[in-house]
Amino acid sequence: MASLTFDEAKTRVGVVRDLRYELDFDLTSSESFRTTTVVRFGADEPGAETFLELRPTRLISATLNGREIAGFAEGRLPLTGLAGRNEVVVVAEYAYSHVGEGLHRFVDPADGEAYVYAQPSIAEAPLFMACFDQPDLKAPITIRVTADPSWIVRSNAAGTQTEPGRWEFAETKPVATYLITIIGGPYAEIRDEHDGIPLALYARKSYTEALAENAPELFELTKQCLDRYHELFGIRLPFGKYEQAFVPEFTWGAMEFPGLVVFRDEYIYRGPVTDTERSRRASIVAHEMAHMWFGDLVTMRWWDDIWLNESFATYMGYRVTAEATRFTDAWADFASERKIWGYGADQRPSTHPVAPVFVADTESAFANFDGISYAKGCATLRQLVAWLGDDAFFAGLRAHFDKHAWGNATLDDLLASLSAASGRDLSAWADKWLRSPQVNTLHPVRTADGFAVEQTAPAAYPTLRPHRIGISWTSADGVRQRIETDVDGPLTAVGELAGVEMEDVLLNNGDLSFAKIRFTPDTDLARLLGRLESPLDRAVVWGAVWDAVRDGEVPAMTFLDLVRSSLAAETHVGVAEHMLGFARGIAVNRFLPVDARPAGQAAVDDACEAILAQATPGGSLQLAAFRTLISGMTSAEPVRAWLAGQDLPAGLTVDDEVRWTLLLRLAVLGDLTEAELDAEQTRDGTARGAVEAARCRAARPDAAAKAAAFEQIVRDRELSNRMLEAIGQGFWRAEHWELTDAYVERYFTELPASQEWRSGYLLATLGGAAFPATAAYTSTVEAAERMLAQPGLNTQFARSIADSTDDLRRAVRQRNLR
């Protein structure tokens, strides 16, 4: 199907006026579903023409103003000879999705119950309706649903069951088609209310007990965030209710459907989790709520401005989490994980501006939902707020909401509102921060006159930016000092520091800017980490060291030695957990040559053991360290003992999460039989159990198991997105390089054929989760480059492979460091 282009969307928005939809879903069949779409709209020019998008398995009928429409092809229904007012009625049969696109249907293996939910993504609404699928053709929508009488059905607006199995929902405010959703099934439901706003939580029936256990915290977060957003924005929640559904096999973390936010149901915790995971969930709750204003009330005009959605929601999500919930150090979690994702994305060949000048089509737009649009954009906004101040920033946002409510807006619209509120012309700032890609590096320099900050940029992207940063240091009397200053140009003298004795200097203290930082040659990193009271500042240090490793400036083993010597002193679980993840998952398994891995594993093991020796029993640090320790075990004997509940550190229990972690390690070690896996999947007869069993099967060092997993990765047409992702992650293991190296060339030559039946997003998922990342050889890079040189690759797929290949080049460079 052709991807909608910007030019087509621009032409169509010039034709269509006063748009409204009515959707009537018939979900009574388990094989497919039927939707009747009624589209009413005006056209200024009699005789004009345009087209609707739909991708059914069978078009039953289509009429325009009572006459049959001919010429449906390639997902487009031509509309010719338009009148001043028009009514299109389309009746079509559609396929249920199993990869989280369109109307997804899932059968819970725990009890056999079926569930559906609509995920239109940015271009998948035509998989369940006929529509003008572009963000600047917003419309009120009325939805009706016929379903199993035992189900509950919910949608964006409030609704009622008018008779058994028949649901009718109120007309929505104008929304874009990518924001339409319904859920249906025997969902468990818990209701509440706050400040006059109806609240609800939903999860599948087999999660009833877990939903009840999670509900108090979820409702508390929801209420805290609502209050803070009302205070900051001065505009109440624009939609009449705020419901949150946790659904199975959801591809994204969550989606901001107005009135009914949908999350992946892994966020309904069914056992002990770390505070890192709880903080991440809180920031996602706050992120999706921010979208009720950024994206839902005021919507971008076209996909070149996805940053208006995602950068703002990410910034507000972390900010409100830190200000309004118990997770006051949320910015440290951001700095030690999401921001590092942003730095990585911005240094790849696929880098792009936060706000690109032009995005050609929806496939290209989808590829830009990345670390730049989310994490870099968030950090850029944090820098903007540091420069403008809160008062001017929020005054500008309130004016922006007032002016563009229920409509669409662009970057220029927002800049105009912020400039008017602040009295500053932001055009030059926007050109450097939003329109120019790549990242600057800041270096502390001791000069003959005192102290300066040197700023550099890559030769291919020479833009130097203005930065508002903090600088901290240890003074001669051993006290930590800090100032804030503005840095611009290649070298900025810091007059306040002339003649000051300084030790262990940290640039970007407080993490106000998006910039890589480096240290003076005499900096003792272990001593610096020990002197920093703020977990955010320690995250800045760890992130800078990790960035230098990625750049090949510092050997991976140097990072691992710092992990061994200093990570046990880290009290913030997010920083510790993320650094352990980088250490084990990337530094050891990808960056070290095979003969150096035992030493690297030992460094991570030592850090885990040191954390376990002093961690509070039952606490987050203990659980994070134990999980990481399991992931590197080289002997099955202690893993078997832990699985049996023996010799566990005090405070730890073997719940399903830990159990599957232990089983995965046994699988990697070749100590888990097929019969044991079958028994475990029977014991845990849930969707999670099925996914984890598939991961374990792919992770076994058995030729037949690897062959079966590879066939699923490159050829399977039935498995869900979640299953394929798990199989890809299980297949490539650093420990199995001798067994899987034969599949490297085949991956690059055989996977592209699946473009015939797989969506761009699923292909992109396999380009990451199933990429041979542990095969860090020059020959692997060359095989990837040959694939990328082929014509006709899907845009999202090519982007994912290119990004993974760039990471692979960095791994090759690291392995050559000695």
Side-chain angles (χ1 to χ4, degrees), residues 188-209:
E189 175 183 25
I190 300 177
R191 303 200 67 83
D192 202 344
E193 180 272 341
H194 180 67
D195 193 20
I197 300 169
L199 308 177
L201 303 172
Y202 304 97
R204 49 184 143 136
K205 187 166 67 175
S206 62
Y207 277 39
T208 299
E209 183 177 341

Side-chain angles (χ1 to χ4, degrees), residues 249-251 264 266 691 720-727:
E249 297 183 336
F250 199 67
T251 302
R264 57 169 53 196
E266 285 89 340
V691 168
S720 73
N721 51 329
R722 200 58 54 78
M723 290 288 284
L724 284 169
E725 184 177 29
I727 291 166

